[in-house]
Amino acid sequence: MPVNVGDVTLESNGGNISFEKLNAQSSVNLKAKNGNIGGTIIGSYDDYSVSCSIKKGESNLPAEKEGGTKNLIVSVNNGDVDVRFVDNWETISIYYTIRRATAGSDSFKKVKCSQTLK
């Protein structure tokens, strides 16, 4: 389930920062020393201006990107960055059982139904 917040600031010294479906209204600030940063942010890459500083590590984000209405500021020393942007669609699966009565016997069949929600 996504978490909606105004501004997000997460810092770690000697550990990883992990998150899933973060939904910031204005800015995300992530800072790690001797640890990795990884997770998903709800929204489009184009929604964010990005500033990413990496020392001794790799990142899937550019060092700078302008043009977004929100800010993503990432700083890592001795770690990697893997931040991805996702939409707010979730797929749920519902399992149900169909009972089929035929002459002289009953049979059951398990059926999966998937529905995409927004």
Side-chain angles (χ1 to χ4, degrees):
M1 182 67 69
V3 176
N4 299 310
V5 292
D7 295 328
V8 176
T9 299
L10 301 171
E11 295 186 19
S12 174
N13 187 352
N16 296 331
I17 296 175
S18 298
F19 51 92
E20 184 177 336
K21 294 187 180 179
L22 186 63
N23 194 9
Q25 301 302 314
S26 58
S27 69
V28 177
N29 295 287
L30 308 169
K31 183 176 181 179
K33 183 174 181 181
N34 298 318
N36 300 320
I37 295 176
T40 57
I41 296 175
I42 292 178
S44 168
Y45 173 76
D46 294 329
D47 293 341
Y48 286 85
S49 294
V50 177
S51 174
C52 184
S53 172
I54 304 293
K55 295 179 184 174
K56 298 181 186 173
E58 296 181 5
S59 174
N60 69 326
L61 298 174
E64 296 289 330
K65 181 186 95 58
E66 295 181 2
T69 58
K70 302 177 184 181
N71 295 311
L72 173 59
I73 301 166
V74 180
S75 176
V76 177
N77 185 356
N78 232 8
D80 297 328
V81 173
D82 184 16
V83 174
R84 304 200 183 266
F85 298 89
V86 298
D87 60 25
N88 196 19
W89 292 84
E90 295 183 37
T91 300
I92 62 168
S93 295
I94 300 169
Y95 289 91
Y96 61 94
T97 302
I98 295 175
R99 180 177 182 212
R100 195 172 73 189
T102 58
S105 70
D106 287 337
S107 63
F108 296 90
K109 180 178 180 182
K110 189 174 184 180
V111 178
K112 178 181 178 183
C113 175
S114 294
Q115 175 68 45
T116 302
L117 306 173
K118 184 168 185 177

